[in-house]
Amino acid sequence: MPTPSARWIRADFHTDPISLARRLIGCRLVRLLPTGERLSGEIVETEAYLGVRDRAAHSYGGRRTERVESMYAAPGHSYVYFTYGMHYCMNVVCGDPGEPVAVLLRAIRPVEGLDLMLAARTRAHGRTIPRDRDLCSGPAKLCQALRIDRACDGLDLASSDALAVEWGGGPVHPSRLRRTARIGVAYAGEWADKPLRWRLRDSEYVSRN
DNA sequence: ATGACGATTTACT
DNA sequence: GTAAATCGTCATA
């Protein structure tokens, strides 16, 4: 396995979403701000979205609108969407080129730039965030903390100046992972219960349970 | 043009 | 535990 600081290249993203969801746990999500500041965290929770057959996926049934266009980009691109009128969430596109499958990043353990993350989260909703574990423990929280919005949609994680994935300490041993159903997809019928969410078993930095 | 709905978070009973 | 916040997106007309 490459050294911890090594950046993922295109080929590393060229895999199915289930494999990628597992492989990303323990790796590092890196955000470089326009000011040059570096923010990062260890990925501790992910969800796989299986594309046209997955009723919970935005690309279900082959839907291809302006919003989800990035899901059809080559593996390694970002798919950042806006939801609930106020939140952004970030995915890592994978699969074969043009196949609209992706992995949602649901939580990270803050590693670099905690002060800036706290400032960004506090600014986003008035009240201050008392604990480090509340900084990035959710898909929209981590986007807030890392200042990820629609301007970060469609970036190539293998070459972007703004977003990258590094190897960090992961991938972790399967015994350190817990697999559960995905969160917030009750509308997806039988797909709502499929175990497509992974989290670091003993991490305090996951979104819930 | 319009109405319904979120891959969420937070506060409050 | 329940509910509000808040608006881009999408399907329907």
Side-chain angles (χ1 to χ4, degrees):
Chain A
M1 202 55 65
T3 60
S5 62
R7 180 176 192 164
W8 282 35
I9 62 174
R10 167 92 60 228
D12 295 318
F13 297 100
H14 192 174
T15 185
D16 66 276
I18 291 177
S19 297
L20 185 69
R22 279 193 284 244
R23 184 183 302 172
L24 280 171
I25 305 283
C27 293
R28 193 77 69 84
L29 174 65
V30 180
R31 165 77 165 129
L32 266 39
L33 298 178
T35 57
E37 303 279 4
R38 183 181 153 105
L39 310 177
S40 76
E42 177 194 22
I43 298 169
V44 297
E45 181 181 339
T46 59
E47 281 178 359
Y49 285 85
L50 308 193
V52 298
R53 66 197 176 97
D54 181 358
R55 193 167 163 189
H58 291 165
S59 54
Y60 173 65
R63 181 156 52 110
R64 185 166 188 167
T65 60
E66 189 171 346
R67 174 170 82 143
V68 304
E69 184 58 32
S70 294
M71 281 196 77
Y72 293 81
H77 281 73
S78 61
Y79 166 47
V80 179
Y81 67 89
F82 182 70
T83 190
Y84 288 104
M86 64 190 91
H87 295 305
Y88 296 95
C89 296
M90 175 183 169
N91 293 258
V92 176
V93 175
C94 57
D96 289 321
E99 184 188 12
V101 296
V103 172
L104 174 68
L105 303 181
R106 287 195 56 91
I108 64 176
R109 174 177 63 81
V111 174
E112 297 174 272
L114 292 260
D115 51 342
L116 291 173
M117 292 185 195
L118 177 60
R121 291 270 291 126
T122 300
R123 171 160 34 81
H125 67 89
R127 202 168 298 192
T128 187
I129 311 298
R131 302 175 304 183
D132 288 353
R133 58 159 56 139
D134 297 319
L135 247 26
C136 304
S137 55
K141 293 181 190 176
L142 77 86
C143 284
Q144 246 177 37
L146 301 190
R147 302 195 212 176
I148 293 168
D149 61 18
R150 266 244 122 184
C152 296
D153 176 61
L155 299 181
D156 179 4
L157 302 184
S159 64
S160 167
D161 290 329
L163 280 174
V165 174
E166 295 177 358
W167 283 102
V172 304
H173 191 276
S175 66
R176 293 182 56 208
L177 296 181
R178 176 177 298 212
R179 186 176 180 177
T180 76
R182 293 174 294 186
I183 306 294
V185 295
Y187 59 86
E190 60 180 354
W191 284 89
D193 301 319
K194 296 192 181 294
L196 295 173
R197 169 181 178 242
W198 287 264
R199 47 159 290 190
L200 251 192
R201 183 175 287 278
D202 52 6
S203 177
E204 302 174 346
Y205 296 90
V206 295
S207 63
R208 39 173 138 163
N209 186 1

